[in-house]
């Protein structure tokens, strides 16, 4: 019986070991890149924050909709098992593929939820139970198994400070940066500080990343310039070829240089021999220069060409990118040179700095240095605005204390006062009040006097064109008179042979003396005149003065019984 049992047990164990090895090998070559950033949302609540998660992984690990059965841009895949918020809760978002590189076998995915390309979290407080910033992390199996300086679990860890409402830094770099063995490998890790107080780059601690040694070889260790983010590694022929993981943190500093928070970033440096295969380079122009900032107002379309060529004429160059803004397009045509057409019309909510890193790799896996380009999206403002009002000086004086918006200058010219307002920029939502008071001296009844000869608006529009608009002249028309009238009777009820004593008054409401007339009549309920009591003339009635008339008398004899009214009218 024992002879029969042993093969059965041994066979079972061997099968189990083979299964475990198969699973481990598949996971061991998965993760290549990761980045966590966040933005507080105080308009929702003081403890609400939107996280952005970007991960790059082995493309051949997944199935997708491309012709080779692998994910392509626009596909949705699952890239992590959980994202830990630090308060005991987790989430497992899907990722949308935003870039794919079949040549280097990676895809980049951004976490997508119902809120868009963010993962929203509302914490119970701005700090954890120890009064410290929240610690968020991705921690799971597995990094690329072929890494020279790392392996095991993939770990990204960041501290989220919600106490001041400021946003985290953000970066964009290719998941794999290729360098030639035996030469100085140098490139910049670009980053954006949304609040503009300063950044610092450093290598991640082992406790933060799970990687305890930076890439090294040939007697040199990779260095990160803390002030610029420039990575330098002086390799030599003894440096081992292969892949090296670079874990770093980008720290956000306050005005005094203290660290507020930090974001993790991990990518791979590939050391290669380019002896018989020169890498491609970006052609500037037509490509924007590396690190160049391009400014564009919201709502206007930005277009440019990215081009890379290879000195090995038989090689084909492939372009790609990381950090493409939402809504932007990048249509590429492989070749030598390879070209890509970038086009983007920034929409609402996209004002600010955006960072894109373009990559170029040839058909024999030699790659150009990362090529970052910054795009600054501004409010769709007009610039260099000037409003000039030319006010007539003829018996008109400006009240110097009445300006709703103080002018930049007041100038005297022949017969007029020139008032000038200026602004460096204004958005479409801006509203400026240019009210002022003038004293209109010696007005004459019925006159028309020029107030402003011109009101001129000049500005530079979002297309850089100088625009001028001129309003028609403005005049002040003086009314011939402004009167208030009143009339009353001595009582309400009268007999058939009574006399109705009517009193009336005319008041001058204008700021100057005026002439006028008062017309009085008795009318029936239908408004028909029963008795015309005639006109009373007024001459040179001073401003604010009244003239009373007590002589009108209306006899009731011959009038049918009923209700009647006195109608008073100011004429002239």
């Amino acid at each position: 019986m024992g002879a029969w049992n042993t093969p059965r047990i041994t066979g079972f164990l061997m099968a189990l070991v083979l299964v475990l090895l198969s699973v481990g090998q598949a996971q061991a070559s998965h993760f290549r890149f990761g980045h966590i950033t966040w933005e507080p949302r105080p308009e929702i609540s003081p403890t609400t924050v939107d996280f952005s998660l970007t991960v790059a992984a082995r493309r051949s690990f997944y199935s997708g909709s491309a012709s080779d059965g692998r994910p392509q841009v626009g596909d949705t895949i699952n890239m992590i098992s959980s994202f830990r918020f630090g308060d005991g809760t987790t989430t497992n978002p899907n990722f949308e593929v935003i870039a794919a590189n079949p040549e280097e076998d990676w895809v980049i995915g951004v976490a997508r939820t119902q809120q868009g390309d963010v993962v929203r979290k509302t914490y119970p407080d701005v700090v954890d139970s120890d009064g410290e910033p929240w610690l968020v992390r991705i921690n799971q199996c597995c990094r690329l198994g072929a890494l020279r300086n790392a392996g095991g679990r993939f770990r990204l860890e960041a501290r989220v400070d919600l106490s001041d409402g400021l946003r985290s830094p953000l970066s964009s770099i290719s998941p794999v940066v290729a360098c030639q063995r035996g030469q100085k490998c140098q490139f910049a890790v670009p980053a954006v500080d949304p609040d503009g107080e300063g950044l610092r780059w450093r290598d991640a601690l082992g406790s933060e990343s799970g990687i305890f040694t930076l890439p090294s070889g040939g007697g040199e260790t990779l260095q990160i310039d803390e002030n610029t983010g420039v990575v330098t590694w002086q390799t030599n022929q003894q440096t081992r070829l292969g892949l090296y993981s670079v874990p770093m943190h980008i720290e956000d500093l306050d005005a005094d240089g203290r660290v507020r928070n930090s974001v993790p970033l991990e990518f791979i440096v590939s050391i290669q021999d380019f002896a018989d295969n020169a890498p491609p380079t970006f052609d500037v122009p037509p490509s924007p220069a590396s690190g160049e900032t391009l400014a564009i107002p919201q709502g206007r379309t930005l277009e440019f060409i990215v081009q890379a060529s290879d000195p090995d004429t038989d090689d084909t160059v492939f372009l790609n990118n990381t950090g493409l803004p939402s809504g932007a397009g990048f249509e590429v045509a492989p070749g030598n040179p390879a070209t890509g057409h970038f086009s983007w019309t920034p929409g609402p909510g996209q004002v600010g700095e955006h960072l894109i890193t373009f990559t170029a790799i040839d058909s024999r896996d030699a790659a150009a240095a990362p090529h970052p380009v910054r795009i600054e999206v501004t409010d769709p403002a007009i610039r260099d605005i000037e409003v000039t009002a030319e006010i007539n000086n003829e018996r008109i004086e400006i009240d110097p204390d009445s300006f709703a918006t103080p002018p930049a200058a007041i100038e005297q010219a022949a017969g007029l006062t020139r008032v000038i307002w200026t602004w460096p920029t204004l958005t479409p939502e801006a509203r400026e009040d240019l009210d002022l008071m003038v004293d209109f001296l010696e007005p004459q009844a019925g006159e028309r006097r020029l107030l402003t000869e011109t009101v001129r608006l000049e500005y530079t529009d979002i297309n850089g064109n100088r625009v001028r608009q001129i309003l028609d002249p403005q005049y002040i028309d003086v009314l011939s008179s402004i009167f208030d009238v009143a009339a009353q009777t001595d009582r309400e009820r009268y007999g058939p042979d009574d006399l109705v004593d009517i009193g009336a008054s005319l008041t001058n409401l204008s700021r100057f003396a005026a002439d006028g007339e008062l017309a009085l009549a008795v009318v029936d309920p239908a408004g028909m005149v029963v008795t015309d009591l005639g006109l009373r003339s007024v001459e040179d009635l001073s401003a604010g003065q009244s003239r009373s008339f007590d002589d009108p008398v209306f006899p009731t004899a011959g009038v049918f019984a009923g209700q009647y009214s006195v109608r008073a009218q100011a004429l002239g």
Side-chain angles (χ1 to χ4, degrees):
M1 296 292 292
W4 287 101
N5 289 339
T6 301
R8 294 176 184 270
I9 296 174
T10 303
F12 175 78
L13 289 176
M14 288 178 62
L16 179 62
V17 171
L18 287 174
V19 170
L20 291 176
L21 287 175
S22 175
V23 173
Q25 185 178 9
Q27 292 287 344
S29 59
H30 191 32
F31 291 105
R32 283 157 163 73
F33 170 92
H35 190 35
I36 302 174
T37 64
W38 71 89
E39 178 180 359
R41 297 298 303 274
E43 76 281 9
I44 299 176
S45 84
T47 60
T48 299
V49 58
D50 282 347
F51 291 96
S52 295
L53 312 180
T54 306
V55 173
R58 178 164 58 91
R59 182 171 180 263
S60 56
F61 180 78
Y62 300 95
S63 59
S65 62
S67 59
D68 60 358
R70 302 305 180 187
Q72 63 178 343
V73 174
D75 285 353
T76 299
I77 58 178
N78 186 272
M79 302 188 74
I80 62 173
S81 59
S82 67
F83 175 57
R84 303 176 184 273
F85 291 112
D87 64 346
T89 63
T90 64
T91 187
N92 180 23
N94 287 323
F95 285 72
E96 180 181 337
V97 176
I98 61 170
N101 190 323
E103 292 75 29
E104 292 184 322
D105 193 22
W106 54 254
V107 291
I108 299 177
V110 172
R112 302 289 192 196
T113 65
Q114 292 180 344
Q115 288 77 35
D117 58 353
V118 296
V119 177
R120 183 162 297 164
K121 169 67 176 177
T122 298
Y123 283 99
D125 201 347
V126 295
V127 293
D128 66 15
S129 58
D130 296 325
E132 295 293 328
W134 295 102
L135 192 66
V136 301
R137 64 168 63 93
I138 298 172
N139 182 12
Q140 67 181 75
C141 187
C142 287
R143 285 191 176 90
L144 185 66
L147 292 173
R148 295 294 190 187
N149 66 318
R153 299 182 66 84
F154 176 71
R155 183 182 179 96
L156 294 175
E157 183 174 283
R159 291 163 62 87
V160 181
D161 187 346
L162 300 178
S163 62
D164 51 17
L166 299 181
R167 296 165 291 177
S168 76
L170 59 92
S171 181
S172 172
I173 193 169
S174 171
V176 181
V177 179
C179 293
Q180 182 173 352
R181 181 166 67 173
Q183 295 187 7
K184 178 187 289 187
C185 175
Q186 190 171 67
F187 55 90
V189 176
V192 170
D193 180 7
D195 302 302
E197 292 185 333
L199 299 177
R200 184 165 61 205
W201 289 255
R202 66 170 173 84
D203 57 294
L205 302 176
S207 59
E208 295 169 326
S209 66
I211 299 177
F212 294 88
T213 58
L214 284 176
S216 63
E220 297 288 343
T221 300
L222 181 144
Q223 302 291 325
I224 303 171
D225 190 305
E226 67 173 14
N227 297 313
T228 64
V230 172
V231 173
T232 303
W233 185 9
Q234 180 62 63
T235 67
N236 58 31
Q237 292 303 320
Q238 282 69 51
T239 303
R240 297 175 66 191
L241 300 177
L243 306 177
Y244 298 79
S245 184
V246 180
M248 66 167 55
H249 269 242
I250 303 173
E251 297 176 330
D252 192 5
L253 308 180
D254 63 18
D256 298 320
R258 295 186 294 264
V259 177
R260 293 176 45 254
N261 50 57
S262 64
V263 296
L265 178 68
E266 182 176 330
F267 58 94
I268 290 173
V269 171
S270 174
I271 299 298
Q272 305 175 16
D273 273 333
F274 296 158
D276 59 348
N277 180 24
T281 57
F282 286 91
D283 302 323
V284 180
S287 307
S290 178
E292 183 177 355
T293 298
L294 305 176
I296 181 73
Q298 176 195 316
R300 183 180 174 188
T301 300
L302 174 66
E303 295 183 283
F304 58 82
I305 296 297
V306 176
Q307 179 175 299
S309 55
D310 195 307
D312 300 318
T313 56
D314 292 336
D315 285 353
T316 301
V317 180
F318 302 90
L319 293 175
N320 217 309
N321 72 89
T322 61
L324 198 69
S326 177
F330 187 56
E331 298 181 2
V332 298
N336 194 359
T339 58
H341 177 243
F342 175 88
S343 179
W344 184 35
T345 305
Q350 293 184 307
V351 171
E353 190 171 0
H354 300 259
L355 183 61
I356 310 171
T357 298
F358 296 99
T359 63
I361 186 172
D362 67 20
S363 49
R364 292 187 288 164
D365 295 334
H371 196 83
V373 174
R374 300 172 187 267
I375 299 177
E376 179 69 28
V377 180
T378 61
D379 286 319
I382 58 176
R383 297 178 286 109
D384 303 325
I385 304 99
E386 181 175 293
V387 175
T388 303
E390 295 183 338
I391 301 174
N392 178 28
N393 279 348
E394 182 183 356
R395 292 175 292 152
I396 295 176
E397 292 181 356
I398 299 173
D399 181 351
D401 299 322
S402 68
F403 289 103
T405 300
I410 299 178
E411 303 172 352
Q412 296 297 325
L416 59 86
T417 300
R418 187 175 292 115
V419 183
I420 304 170
W421 294 267
T422 61
W423 297 267
T425 182
L426 288 174
T427 65
E429 296 78 17
R431 183 180 181 88
E432 297 293 335
D433 186 356
L434 303 186
D435 285 348
L436 59 91
M437 296 289 293
V438 298
D439 290 326
F440 197 73
L441 307 178
E442 303 174 5
Q444 301 298 317
E447 80 164 298
R448 187 180 215 208
R449 193 183 307 176
L450 178 68
L451 176 62
T452 60
E453 291 192 3
T454 61
V455 177
R456 183 175 62 252
L457 167 66
E458 294 186 65
Y459 61 91
T460 301
D461 67 15
I462 63 174
N463 296 312
N465 302 315
R466 193 66 179 169
V467 178
R468 171 181 288 195
Q469 298 178 359
I470 300 178
L471 300 182
D472 293 334
Q474 296 174 305
Y475 295 87
I476 294 178
D477 289 319
V478 181
L479 298 179
S480 58
S481 61
I482 305 176
F483 292 113
D484 180 49
V485 295
Q488 67 282 329
T489 58
D490 58 340
R491 63 182 190 271
E492 293 185 359
R493 301 178 66 84
Y494 297 89
D497 295 315
D498 288 345
L499 293 178
V500 181
D501 189 3
I502 300 172
S505 65
L506 187 68
T507 303
N508 183 4
L509 301 182
S510 64
R511 298 174 59 185
F512 47 86
D515 300 333
E517 290 181 314
L518 175 66
L520 289 174
V522 177
V523 298
D524 64 16
M528 301 298 295
V529 175
V530 176
T531 300
D532 187 348
L533 300 176
L535 297 175
R536 273 75 177 166
S537 297
V538 175
E539 294 182 359
D540 199 26
L541 184 62
S542 300
Q545 297 299 306
S546 297
R547 182 71 53 84
S548 297
F549 303 92
D550 298 325
D551 58 307
V553 174
F554 166 56
T556 61
V559 178
F560 293 109
Q563 293 184 343
Y564 298 91
S565 303
V566 176
R567 184 177 68 191
Q569 291 178 289
L571 307 175

